[in-house]
Amino acid sequence: MFELTIRRSRWILGAFAVLALVMGTLSATLFDRVHGGGYIDPGSESSQAAAVLRDTFGQATPNLVLLVQTRESVDDDASATAATKLVTELTSVAGVAGVTSYWTDRSPRLRSADGTKGLIMAGILGEEAEVEKRVGDLADRFGGTHGPLEVRVGGYAMLLHETVQQSEKDVVLGESIAFPIALVALLLVFGGLVAAGLPLVVAMVTVLITMGALWLIASVTDLAATATDVAALLGLGLAIDYSLLIISRYRDELVAGQQPAAAVVATMRSAGRTVVFSAATVAVALSGLLFFPMPAVRSMGYAGLAVAVIAATVALTVLPAILFVLGARIDSGRLWWFLRAARPAPGEGAWHRLARFVMMRPVPIGVAITGLLLVLGAPFLGVNLGFPDERSLPESMNNRQVTETIQRDFAATEQNGLFAVLPESAYSAAGLDAYARKLSNIENVHRVDTATGSYSHGGLLAAPALADDRFRAVNAAYLAVVPDTTDPVVLDRIAGDIRAVPAATPVLVGGVAAANADAIDSVISALPYALAFVVLILLIVLFVLTGSAVLPLLAVVLSVLSLTATFGALVWIFQDGHLSGLLGFTVTGDLPPTVPVLLFGVAFGLAMDYQVFLLARIREEYRRTRSNALAVTSGLERIGRIVTAAAVLISVVFLGFLASDITFMKALGIGLPLAVLVDATLVRGFLLPAAMELLGDWNWYAPEPLRKLRRRFGIEEGPSALVTPDRADWRQPVRL
């Protein structure tokens, strides 16, 4: 295969150039196909309730809010006439239902305390993706100036729409920051323009093809807008990592005396195969996200799988073709000011000395580092899970401004309402009346509206009116529950209390608070299956790589341990609010469950990725020396600096998430670099050599049946002409 890459190098480069151009062109309309939201489980009770409400009753929860600002008073004739006209126009729009307003209902809750503002509320029918697309047109039509009125558009639908808009900006900004910083870092690593530029070429091709692949995925399934942010920066990071490994090995082969063609083949038989296993571990870890039913999480799984496969494919085809064309010119463009230290003799390098230091005292060092990581992870024991609301977006967003104005100036809480659907209920006025009275007695419930009237605190507040007919259908009815608060914690409790009230017929409870509770339950339910799948497959992959039944278990344990400090930091920073002023986000007191789930998928995959880098080289040294101690020290010495450079580079790339104005994307900008750096330093530098020293030759144990199986399907690193102690050219300038 790699010989073919050499023979057809220019054809390969031309084909991928065309492919990148085509896919990049397709991706120009990517953000017309993605959507916001996606944090609701489509199979949950709340989703079923929303479907019945839409299909049976033609209604939806109030997900569209028009905040109407008047010049003087909402009650003056000019303002009332213009506002009533707006209500009439909105009512006539197909797919919009349940339109209410201060001017038509005369509800004081829809009028601001100072009398200068009023509210118009409605529900946009459809799935989240449809709602997000439609609200943009409605915002253009109804937002802005209408005679004496100034109208701003908000509501949950607008939150979805503005998330897409912000994600599009974040992709461009994140890449514009990450690319130049990565170039500077690569210059420091390689010391030459050509070598430093190659990873960015691979990254650019990877990102263009990945964005085109996401366009294709969005054509056949729902794709969340936030997945594009993850795909762009993860693609950039993985492409740089894989390129770093391959270029470093190629330069070592040249130093060892290989001709360029032979050096490319030797590199791809060793480092190239390591990249295959590395991409497999990342893909497997991210495929665990597909076990979660929420479209946003699954979208990130699709994006991650595409990125891992595409980054590896480009690194294994385009990069060796470029290396063959360049030959020894890989070192062209060396910067005159770049000083290179002489490579230390084998056994004298910093990583070798560190490994020996740790392996001489494995128990105290292992216990100390493990204890430190567990202490740093302790804050995660107090995690509170909750889904993003308007506070996760910047203060300049319309929906956030509208929501905060309503909370400050209005008593209205209808936009946070819940509903209880009785989809199989033969309509009974007496039964519905009794059930409505029970619901209205729930703490923090302001009012319950249904076909038999409006209820409050267990009593009938208002007799049924003609408009209340919307609450009933043939053999079905529903009740709207209006809370007296906008506090998310209280709303979650109300949703649970509604579900706890007994009813004579089946009840489906819906609304944003109910949907959030269902989504959290879905994450918790799916988590064990996702973890079991990921761990099992990775154990198999690492066994095929190492031939050991012990090392895969050790790798998984260390990779999980490396995430503890990160999870603790997420709670300490984003839930508890430390550093909120520095990082520029609003504290909500909770953490979106998608953040630790996504962080685990990406960071665990990268931790296992670096495990592959290390274990592949340690395995190579063990085959050569048959000594566990020499294999660990020599393996770390040879690969440690590469893993460190890779970790630093991908961390720099992930810092691009901090440029996002979406809070949970900032959380990834902190969590991913922290996880990678902890893994590359504390875990790989201390815990891995300590554990391998304690295990000794048991590191390489495998039952005979598994050994036979691996001999049939396994893979070994290819032979290399790398520098060894008995060669005269071992003291060469450092290339990395």
Side-chain angles (χ1 to χ4, degrees):
M1 171 184 174
F2 302 124
E3 290 82 355
L4 178 64
T5 301
I6 293 175
R7 291 198 303 269
R8 297 287 185 266
S9 58
R10 298 186 186 276
W11 284 96
I12 289 173
L13 293 177
F16 271 90
V18 172
L19 179 61
L21 181 62
V22 170
M23 298 296 268
T25 302
L26 287 178
S27 69
T29 57
L30 173 61
F31 284 92
D32 294 333
R33 295 174 176 264
V34 299
H35 60 84
Y39 300 102
I40 295 174
D41 178 1
S44 66
E45 176 186 329
S46 56
S47 293
Q48 295 175 42
V52 174
L53 189 67
R54 179 185 67 245
D55 299 337
T56 303
F57 300 96
Q59 298 292 322
T61 53
N63 53 25
L64 175 66
V65 179
L66 303 184
L67 175 62
V68 181
Q69 174 78 53
T70 65
R71 293 173 182 171
E72 296 182 5
S73 169
V74 294
D75 295 312
D76 67 61
D77 291 341
S79 297
T81 300
T84 303
K85 182 180 178 182
L86 276 180
V87 173
T88 303
E89 288 183 16
L90 185 59
T91 303
S92 66
V93 175
V96 176
V99 180
T100 61
S101 75
Y102 167 72
W103 296 273
T104 53
D105 293 16
R106 308 308 295 181
S107 170
R109 293 169 61 84
L110 302 181
R111 179 182 186 273
S112 66
D114 63 3
T116 62
K117 294 181 284 290
L119 296 178
I120 301 173
M121 295 186 179
I124 302 175
L125 302 179
E127 302 287 347
E128 271 194 342
E130 301 173 83
V131 170
E132 185 272 316
K133 298 300 181 188
R134 297 196 62 201
V135 75
D137 295 333
L138 292 174
D140 291 339
R141 178 176 174 181
F142 290 96
T145 302
H146 295 265
L149 309 179
E150 189 68 31
V151 181
R152 286 187 290 171
V153 182
Y156 182 71
M158 200 62 184
L159 172 66
L160 302 179
H161 184 65
E162 290 185 327
T163 299
V164 175
Q165 293 178 318
Q166 189 61 48
S167 296
E168 185 173 6
K169 296 176 184 176
D170 290 345
V171 168
V172 176
L173 181 60
E175 289 183 352
S176 65
I177 292 174
F179 260 95
I181 294 177
L183 176 59
V184 172
L186 286 167
L187 285 172
L188 294 176
V189 170
F190 287 118
L193 290 172
V194 174
L198 287 185
L200 293 183
V201 171
V202 174
M204 187 178 300
V205 174
T206 297
V207 171
L208 287 173
I209 296 176
T210 299
M211 292 294 107
L214 293 185
W215 184 93
L216 296 175
I217 293 172
S219 301
V220 297
T221 188
D222 289 340
L223 191 71
T226 48
T228 59
D229 295 8
V230 175
L233 293 179
L234 183 60
L236 178 60
L238 288 179
I240 289 175
D241 265 12
Y242 296 155
S243 300
L244 180 65
L245 181 67
I246 291 173
I247 293 172
S248 300
R249 190 66 178 246
Y250 174 72
R251 297 172 84 185
D252 282 345
E253 296 290 348
L254 291 179
V255 168
Q258 294 272 34
Q259 293 300 309
V264 170
V265 173
T267 295
M268 300 313 294
R269 285 177 176 170
S270 53
R273 295 189 178 189
T274 301
V275 167
V276 171
F277 275 100
S278 298
T281 60
V282 174
V284 168
L286 289 169
S287 66
L289 299 178
L290 301 180
F291 281 80
F292 298 91
M294 290 79 70
V297 180
R298 295 176 67 88
S299 294
M300 294 176 187
Y302 295 140
L305 280 170
V307 165
V309 172
I310 293 170
T313 301
V314 174
L316 295 172
T317 53
V318 173
L319 184 55
I322 296 176
L323 291 177
F324 174 71
V325 171
L326 285 176
R329 290 173 294 174
I330 184 70
D331 285 325
S332 299
R334 180 158 297 280
L335 304 177
W336 63 268
W337 46 263
F338 184 77
L339 301 177
R340 293 176 293 168
R343 176 179 301 194
E348 297 179 5
W351 280 98
H352 185 101
R353 294 196 302 272
L354 177 61
R356 290 304 307 152
F357 173 81
V358 172
M359 295 172 75
M360 290 176 63
R361 44 190 71 79
V363 173
I365 289 178
V367 170
I369 298 299
T370 301
L372 174 63
L373 292 176
L374 293 177
V375 168
L376 293 176
F380 192 71
L381 297 175
V383 65
N384 296 317
L385 299 179
F387 274 86
D389 56 23
E390 74 284 346
R391 293 171 295 176
S392 67
L393 292 176
E395 295 179 356
S396 60
M397 289 296 182
N398 274 333
N399 177 64
R400 178 163 182 175
Q401 293 178 358
V402 169
T403 301
E404 291 178 347
T405 300
I406 293 174
Q407 291 173 349
R408 183 184 65 247
D409 298 340
F410 291 81
T413 54
E414 280 80 359
Q415 71 277 12
N416 300 104
L418 296 104
F419 57 91
V421 179
L422 289 72
E424 301 171 5
S425 171
Y427 176 70
S428 164
L432 195 58
D433 175 85
Y435 184 57
R437 290 176 185 271
K438 292 178 183 178
L439 295 185
S440 70
N441 258 331
I442 294 175
E443 185 181 359
N444 294 113
V445 168
H446 171 72
R447 189 181 76 248
V448 174
D449 298 328
T450 189
T452 55
S454 297
Y455 299 80
S456 179
H457 302 294
L460 183 64
L461 184 66
L466 183 61
D468 292 330
D469 286 343
R470 71 181 188 274
F471 290 105
R472 59 183 171 184
V474 178
N475 292 331
Y478 83 94
L479 305 91
V481 181
V482 180
D484 65 5
T485 180
T486 59
D487 185 340
V489 176
V490 177
L491 293 173
D492 290 344
R493 194 259 303 158
I494 293 174
D497 289 346
I498 294 174
R499 286 172 169 166
V501 173
T505 60
V507 177
L508 299 173
V509 178
V512 174
N516 288 347
D518 288 344
I520 292 173
D521 289 342
S522 297
V523 168
I524 295 173
S525 299
L527 188 60
Y529 299 100
L531 292 178
F533 169 80
V534 169
V535 169
L536 178 61
I537 300 300
L538 287 180
L539 288 175
I540 295 173
V541 170
L542 288 177
F543 170 74
V544 173
L545 174 69
T546 64
S548 166
V550 176
L551 286 179
L553 292 171
L554 176 62
V556 169
V557 170
L558 293 182
S559 295
V560 171
L561 192 59
S562 71
L563 297 179
T564 55
T566 302
F567 283 173
L570 286 179
V571 171
W572 188 78
I573 295 173
F574 291 95
Q575 177 179 299
D576 298 342
H578 300 95
L579 307 182
S580 60
L582 178 64
L583 297 176
F585 66 90
T586 301
V587 181
T588 61
D590 55 32
L591 196 67
T594 50
V595 170
V597 167
L598 178 60
L599 186 66
F600 180 86
V602 177
F604 184 75
L606 290 174
M608 297 301 292
D609 181 45
Y610 295 143
Q611 287 277 17
V612 169
F613 285 9
L614 286 167
L615 294 179
R617 182 53 66 90
I618 291 173
R619 169 69 181 173
E620 181 181 353
E621 294 298 318
Y622 184 74
R623 288 172 56 212
R624 184 175 65 85
T625 65
R626 310 309 298 180
S627 166
N628 179 71
L630 285 176
V632 174
T633 54
S634 299
L636 281 174
E637 182 177 19
R638 291 188 173 227
I639 200 70
R641 68 188 193 279
I642 298 175
V643 170
T644 302
V648 170
L649 284 167
I650 203 168
S651 296
V652 166
V653 170
F654 286 152
L655 288 175
F657 283 119
L658 287 177
S660 174
D661 282 325
I662 302 176
T663 300
F664 59 87
M665 299 306 292
K666 287 182 183 290
L668 296 180
I670 291 292
L672 287 174
L674 182 59
V676 168
L677 293 176
V678 167
D679 182 79
T681 53
L682 295 180
V683 174
R684 305 301 160 224
F686 294 91
L687 287 184
L688 179 64
M692 293 192 72
E693 171 65 16
L694 291 173
L695 290 170
D697 289 336
W698 282 100
N699 286 306
W700 312 102
Y701 169 78
E704 187 57 32
L706 291 181
R707 290 182 180 273
K708 290 181 179 179
L709 186 65
R710 182 179 182 275
R711 280 195 290 268
R712 181 174 180 181
F713 299 104
I715 188 170
E716 298 287 0
E717 287 269 315
S720 170
L722 290 179
V723 180
T724 55
D726 57 343
R727 292 183 58 97
D729 59 353
W730 60 265
R731 188 178 293 274
Q732 293 290 332
V734 170
R735 301 288 185 176
L736 188 70

